[in-house]
Amino acid sequence: SKKLFEVDFNSCEPYFYLTVIDKIKKSNIDIYEKIKNDLNLSLERDVLKRCVISVMYGAGYATIKRLSKMKKNDYEKMIEYFNIESFSRNLKEELTKNGYIKNRYGRPIVVKNERSILNYYVQSSAADFCYAAFQDFISKNEINFHAIIHDAIICSSLDSTIEKIKQIKSLKCPITSIEIPIKLLVY
C-alpha cells in the first residue's frame, strides 16, 4: 500500500551558509551542537537556533542580547564565525557594481534593503538548493511528488520504497554538491 511521507532538511539555511563559507565539511553533524562547541557557548538549543538565524539575517547585538542574554564578546565571536561582515561587504560591492546580487546558483536577486543583503543571498540560495536536491531525489526514487513547502516535500510511495528511503540520511544538490541532512516523517 502507498503511504504519505515528508522529507525535510535539517536547519537548511544555516547548514547551507556554513557549508558555503567552509565551516562545515560533512553532512552528518548536528549544526547547532557544532556551533555551540566551536564558540564555547552555553545557550539552550532553541535559544541558540534563534540567535543563529537572527545573526544570519542582520540582527544587531541588542536583539541578540534580548533573545539570549548573550555577552557582547560571544556575539562578536558569532559574527566572526559566520563571516558576516566580510561576506556582506562582498555582496554590497556586487550590488553597487551591478544593481543586484547573484545567489550561489547565479540567479539574480533584487535587494530592497541592504541591511538584509545576507538574508536575500541565503534564502534564495537555500531555496534553489532545495529545488535541485529534491528534483534529484525524486528522479532517483519511485515516488509520487505532491507538494513542496519551503525546505520540505510531501510525497507518497510504496512501503518498500519508503523503507529504502529511510536509509538516506542527507540529500545532495547535483549542481553545487552541497549536502544537507534530512528528516523523514511517514504519515
Side-chain angles (χ1 to χ4, degrees), residues 46-60:
D46 60 328
V47 173
L48 178 59
K49 283 171 104 168
R50 282 196 304 273
C51 288
V52 164
I53 294 296
S54 298
V55 160
M56 281 178 54
Y57 296 151

Side-chain angles (χ1 to χ4, degrees), residues 87-175:
F87 205 94
S88 295
R89 187 172 46 255
N90 291 340
L91 289 173
K92 286 174 186 173
E93 287 170 9
E94 183 182 349
L95 179 63
T96 300
K97 182 179 162 206
N98 302 322
Y100 60 89
I101 61 170
K102 287 186 177 178
N103 76 4
R104 182 72 170 81
Y105 293 84
R107 185 163 56 92
I109 306 299
V110 175
V111 177
K112 292 179 177 67
N113 177 354
E114 201 175 285
R115 204 172 100 79
S116 303
I117 199 162
L118 185 62
N119 182 351
Y120 284 99
Y121 174 86
V122 173
Q123 283 192 346
S124 68
S125 297
D128 289 355
F129 162 84
C130 289
Y131 298 142
F134 284 143
Q135 176 58 43
D136 188 57
F137 169 74
I138 291 164
S139 71
K140 290 178 178 174
N141 292 282
E142 292 182 33
I143 59 179
N144 296 317
F145 167 77
H146 299 292
I148 187 166
I149 306 163
H150 302 294
D151 60 357
I153 55 171
I154 298 175
C155 301
S156 61
S157 192
L158 297 172
D159 288 335
S160 58
T161 301
I162 292 172
E163 286 307 311
K164 284 188 237 165
I165 291 170
K166 284 181 181 177
Q167 306 310 308
I168 299 171
K169 300 299 177 213
S170 61
L171 295 183
K172 183 187 264 189
C173 170
I175 300 164

Side-chain angles (χ1 to χ4, degrees), residues 28-45:
N28 60 346
I29 60 166
D30 179 326
I31 192 169
Y32 294 107
E33 204 56 41
K34 177 174 176 36
I35 293 166
K36 187 175 179 172
N37 292 338
D38 286 355
L39 296 178
N40 196 23
L41 299 172
S42 58
L43 300 174
E44 294 293 322
R45 183 181 180 83

